[in-house]
Amino acid sequence: IMDSTQRVNGTSMQYYINENAMSDRCILIFHDSFLESAKDYYWPRYREVIMLSRQNYENMQYYVNVFDPDVIINENAERS
């Protein structure tokens, strides 16, 4: 899925799988630089962690449909 997923040029997409996670759930996180390194918090807890730059906002529904996550976080700093 990751290789064929649409991306916004100049944005980051991170995908992690942890077979030994506390749960078998998937989390999709739209973030700005504040959560750029948050994988260390989510990775032990979720089997799949997908992190996308908030600049992918226009395609948010697309990503929800493709990855079908159990949990979605849309993080924005106050300046946004």
Side-chain angles (χ1 to χ4, degrees):
I1 289 178
M2 291 301 290
D3 292 338
S4 62
T5 303
Q6 297 174 13
R7 300 177 189 214
V8 175
N9 289 335
T11 65
S12 66
M13 178 181 280
Q14 302 170 56
Y15 182 72
Y16 305 96
I17 296 178
N18 181 1
E19 299 288 340
N20 299 314
M22 294 177 186
S23 75
D24 63 350
R25 300 176 78 187
C26 173
I27 185 169
L28 174 60
I29 304 169
F30 293 92
H31 66 89
D32 63 9
S33 60
F34 184 73
L35 282 182
E36 186 68 37
S37 61
K39 84 152 175 77
D40 294 337
Y41 177 77
Y42 294 104
W43 184 76
R45 292 161 175 77
Y46 293 90
R47 185 178 182 280
E48 292 180 81
V49 178
I50 304 144
M51 298 180 66
L52 296 161
S53 168
R54 69 178 176 87
Q55 293 170 320
N56 288 294
Y57 180 79
E58 291 181 11
N59 296 322
M60 185 181 286
Q61 187 62 56
Y62 165 78
Y63 294 117
V64 170
N65 292 341
V66 167
F67 296 114
D68 191 27
D70 299 297
V71 178
I72 300 169
I73 294 177
N74 184 21
E75 178 267 332
N76 289 295
E78 186 176 343
R79 69 182 180 283
S80 298

